[in-house]
Amino acid sequence: MRVLAAMSGGVDSAVAAARAVAAGHDVTGVHLALSAKPGTLRTGARGCCTIEDSHDARRAADVLGIPFYIWDFAERFTEDVIEDFVEEYAAGRTPNPCLRCNERIKFEALLDKAIALGFDAVCTGHYARLSVVDGKPELRRSADIDKDQSYVLASLRDDQLRHAMFPLGDSTKPEVRAEAAERGLSVAEKPDSHDICFIPDGDTQAFLTRKLGERPGMLVDDETGAVLGMHTGVHGFTVGQRKGLGIDAPAADGRPRYVLSLEPVSGNVRVGTAERLAVREIVGERPVWPSGAPLDGLTECVVQVRAHGGTASAVASVEDGGSLVIRLAEPLRGVAPGQAAVLYQGDLVLGSATITSTRD
């Protein structure tokens, strides 16, 4: 096949491209310039998409002997990822920008351009497995559970997955680094990026304040209605947060308080005990079914609501109107609107939806 390898400048995408070459595909490397003003150097594991990263990607392509290009997607990235991120926080929701980037940049904007240019597939360094069963794609967890990225790929449609390649799905990170060293790739020991790429200093609250300004409001005890303090904007909080709340005095019972809900219109941030965080039902909108087959009736599964969180047993169904309703076997804490709820059976991704509300 003609394969377009998305090369970030990191070890994972470099080895993924190398494996595509080794498999006999006609591979071209491309680095996505996602920032209009990229920094010159990274700081350890913070950020990505710097000039240094583009140079690392080019050097890897040279070692592999494949053509290499840089495509400017900065404007699209700003509109579809950064502005979406800011708008979601302003509305009191907690988005996942990596999921949005995969959905709208790598497997929409990039894939659309790749297909228009005659490529058959886009290859990335994600840790996930992909197979085709009875003509339908199946997205599965990576063999390396600690690195599994199926959660941030679960919003991809079946027509997008048909043109995707994830060569690292059966490997562990140490294996990938060892292979990179054997192939003479200079990125073999390059640190992974752990932060939001467009917030390289890691200070999300400061970034949002620069974008949205201060929007003062009250910290309110959800049970008594008492005002416990003031804040500078609901965008500085997320459901389940405990630290940095700015409560003026300890609660009367001496127990810690957590963010229970955000009210962007009134500016109130409601807080309460950990027990009041527990929910038994999750409602999601705009469900996506990677295999193209929606749920049929009540389906036993497990649900994951954070990229690096655990799973919880549940029964899921699609209601009239298309909403995904997930009923949990045991109460779950810290479920925030705006996050993705991803359903699994074993290691198979059944579907995903954006969380809009929860119920006790």
Side-chain angles (χ1 to χ4, degrees):
M1 295 191 300
R2 290 192 67 208
V3 173
L4 186 67
M7 303 181 71
S8 67
V11 62
D12 295 328
S13 60
V15 172
R19 290 184 177 182
V21 172
H25 300 300
D26 178 7
V27 181
T28 296
V30 62
H31 178 79
L32 302 185
L34 302 179
S35 173
K37 297 179 180 179
T40 301
L41 298 174
R42 318 168 93 240
T43 304
R46 292 193 178 278
C48 66
C49 311
T50 65
I51 294 173
E52 178 188 8
D53 291 318
S54 67
H55 292 170
D56 285 343
R58 183 179 295 277
R59 281 190 287 268
D62 288 344
V63 170
L64 299 177
I66 61 174
F68 177 81
Y69 300 91
I70 296 177
W71 288 355
D72 184 358
F73 276 33
E75 184 175 348
R76 181 73 182 264
F77 184 78
T78 297
E79 293 175 357
D80 288 353
V81 179
I82 299 178
E83 291 180 1
D84 174 84
F85 179 84
V86 174
E87 291 168 3
E88 286 290 284
Y89 265 100
R93 296 185 287 267
T94 304
N96 185 306
C98 294
L99 187 151
R100 192 71 74 236
C101 182
N102 289 327
E103 175 188 2
R104 297 184 180 177
I105 303 299
K106 294 173 183 173
F107 291 96
E108 186 171 300
L110 176 62
L111 180 58
D112 287 350
K113 186 172 181 177
I115 291 175
L117 291 173
F119 288 95
D120 301 300
V122 167
C123 167
T124 70
H126 286 100
Y127 285 80
R129 288 182 290 167
L130 187 61
S131 58
V132 178
V133 177
D134 296 330
K136 296 181 179 181
E138 289 189 346
L139 179 64
R140 295 180 178 273
R141 288 194 186 277
S142 166
D144 186 344
I145 296 301
D146 290 337
K147 295 297 295 181
D148 175 56
Q149 293 174 296
S150 61
Y151 177 90
V152 294
L153 295 167
S155 64
L156 301 185
R157 306 184 307 271
D158 64 328
D159 61 305
Q160 295 170 320
L161 290 173
R162 291 176 191 275
H163 297 281
M165 289 177 63
F166 307 128
L168 306 188
D170 290 317
S171 300
T172 66
K173 186 70 177 202
E175 289 170 346
V176 169
R177 288 198 181 279
E179 182 175 336
E182 290 172 2
R183 292 181 179 275
L185 297 170
S186 62
V187 292
E189 297 302 324
K190 186 174 181 178
D192 293 336
S193 294
H194 296 298
D195 297 293
I196 298 171
C197 68
F198 52 87
I199 310 178
D201 64 2
D203 193 339
T204 301
Q205 185 168 350
F207 171 84
L208 291 169
T209 299
R210 289 195 298 271
K211 293 289 187 179
L212 297 170
E214 293 191 356
R215 301 181 178 188
M218 297 183 294
L219 290 156
V220 180
D221 187 291
D222 191 58
E223 193 167 8
T224 67
V227 176
L228 305 178
M230 302 296 293
H231 64 81
T232 57
V234 297
H235 53 266
F237 302 89
T238 187
V239 170
Q241 180 178 335
R242 174 185 174 184
K243 297 181 179 180
L245 301 187
I247 295 176
D248 294 337
D253 59 10
R255 301 169 71 189
R257 292 297 187 259
Y258 298 80
V259 174
L260 303 182
S261 63
L262 307 173
E263 299 174 354
V265 176
S266 68
N268 289 344
V269 174
R270 294 194 170 273
V271 301
T273 60
E275 289 78 9
R276 295 178 69 84
L277 272 175
V279 300
R280 289 186 173 274
E281 193 168 277
I282 300 169
V283 179
E285 301 294 340
R286 302 185 301 280
V288 177
W289 314 105
S291 67
L295 300 184
D296 183 15
L298 294 175
T299 301
E300 293 187 359
C301 57
V302 297
V303 61
Q304 183 173 334
V305 297
R306 285 182 293 277
H308 303 292
T311 59
S313 297
V315 174
S317 62
V318 179
E319 289 192 340
D320 292 340
S323 296
L324 178 65
V325 178
I326 304 163
R327 298 171 179 86
L328 299 159
E330 298 290 339
L332 189 62
R333 296 177 181 176
V335 182
Q339 294 172 324
V342 178
L343 306 181
Y344 294 86
Q345 279 185 340
D347 62 0
L348 174 67
V349 176
L350 296 178
S352 71
T354 301
I355 298 170
T356 54
S357 62
T358 58
R359 302 167 185 166
D360 296 338

